[in-house]
């Protein structure tokens, strides 16, 4: 429990819990669809307390997105350490399945939601999220190129195209989850993708 002291009577609230709540709101409504009133009511704090603890709405989103990457996308780092390309793909697909269709959380991927075209209010945030995604993509391409050298699949396989295909599947799963696809339906997508994956 952290205590935030403002002028007058000190306000006490759990900053970590408030940030997790803000993440849930942004994940559910998107950045532009979320108002300060939505945030303060869900977090159970006043606007002055929000500003004192997190800065403005944009700053709060950046902190919430950092939390999202640390907790909800932790599987990406683990996937990169898998011994084979098939293992990397399996970890990514299964991790995305949990993130997109997990219980007691919004459906879909926050990165995909924020990366879609938006108004001017969220333009700078979108650019940052897209840039982070490109960094992950570049790392994944390098991992697949190394997998080809390791003999996981024939070197004639285009590692970059294979990576873009995998990312397209991952993003598609998020979109389908947000549109109401069931977990069972998404599980079949995972199974089919892994069946088609070159090598083992």
């Amino acid at each position: 429990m952290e205590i935030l002291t403002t002028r007058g009577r000190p306000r006490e609230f759990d900053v970590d819990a408030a940030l997790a709540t803000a993440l849930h709101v942004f994940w559910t409504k998107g950045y532009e669809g979320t108002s300060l009133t939505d945030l303060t009511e869900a977090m159970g704090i006043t606007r002055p307390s929000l500003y004192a603890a997190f800065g403005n709405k944009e700053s709060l989103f950046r902190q919430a997105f950092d939390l999202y990457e640390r907790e909800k996308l932790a599987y990406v780092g683990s996937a990169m350490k898998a011994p084979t390309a098939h293992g990397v793909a399996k970890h990514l697909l299964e991790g995305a399945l949990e993130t997109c269709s997990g219980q007691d959380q919004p459906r879909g991927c926050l990165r995909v939601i924020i990366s879609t075209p938006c108004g001017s209010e969220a333009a700078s945030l979108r650019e940052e999220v897209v840039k982070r995604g490109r960094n992950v993509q570049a790392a994944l391409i390098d991992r697949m190129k190394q997998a080809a050298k390791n003999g996981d699949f024939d070197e004639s396989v285009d590692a970059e195209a294979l990576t873009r295909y995998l990312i397209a599947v991952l993003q598609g799963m998020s979109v389908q989850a947000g549109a109401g696809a069931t977990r069972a339906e998404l599980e079949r997508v995972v199974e089919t993708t892994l069946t088609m994956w070159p090598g083992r």
Side-chain angles (χ1 to χ4, degrees):
M1 176 78 72
E2 295 188 33
I3 298 176
L4 175 66
T5 303
T6 59
R7 289 183 179 180
R9 183 172 62 86
R11 292 189 59 86
E12 182 177 319
F13 65 92
D14 188 326
V15 174
D16 292 335
L19 183 60
T21 299
L23 168 58
H24 190 278
V25 176
F26 282 127
W27 195 354
T28 301
K29 297 189 173 186
Y31 180 78
E32 291 182 312
T34 298
S35 68
L36 284 173
T37 299
D38 292 330
L39 291 166
T40 54
E41 288 183 352
M43 297 162 76
I45 61 177
T46 63
R47 289 195 183 194
S49 293
L50 185 153
Y51 292 137
F54 304 106
N56 59 18
K57 177 184 171 183
E58 182 174 327
S59 176
L60 174 58
F61 175 82
R62 291 178 191 279
Q63 294 173 64
F65 192 74
D66 286 342
L67 175 63
Y68 178 80
E69 288 192 319
R70 286 196 306 272
E71 293 190 351
K72 303 302 181 180
L73 300 184
Y75 67 87
V76 176
S78 299
M80 294 292 193
K81 299 175 184 177
T84 65
H86 186 272
V88 172
K90 187 173 187 293
H91 276 72
L92 287 174
L93 288 162
E94 292 179 347
L97 176 65
E98 291 301 321
T99 300
C100 290
S101 61
Q103 295 182 342
D104 302 321
Q105 66 184 28
R107 297 178 65 81
C109 171
L110 180 59
R111 174 177 281 162
V112 173
I113 293 169
I114 300 300
S115 296
T116 54
C118 54
S120 58
E121 180 188 358
S124 63
L125 289 175
R126 177 180 179 274
E127 290 176 4
E128 180 177 335
V129 170
V130 169
K131 182 178 179 180
R132 293 192 194 189
R134 285 174 179 162
N135 290 338
V136 173
Q137 177 176 284
L140 185 54
I141 289 173
D142 288 342
R143 178 65 186 85
M144 291 303 168
K145 287 181 177 179
Q146 184 60 50
K149 292 179 181 179
N150 293 345
D152 287 2
F153 42 76
D154 193 285
E155 287 195 52
S156 63
V157 174
D158 187 328
E160 181 172 348
L162 186 63
T163 302
R164 290 184 181 279
Y165 164 73
L166 178 58
I167 291 174
V169 173
L170 295 169
Q171 293 176 336
M173 288 173 60
S174 172
V175 173
Q176 289 186 34
T182 66
R183 183 182 179 90
E185 290 170 337
L186 296 176
E187 285 175 345
R188 289 199 293 274
V189 173
V190 171
E191 293 168 1
T192 301
T193 303
L194 292 175
T195 297
M196 297 170 59
W197 191 265
R200 286 291 182 272

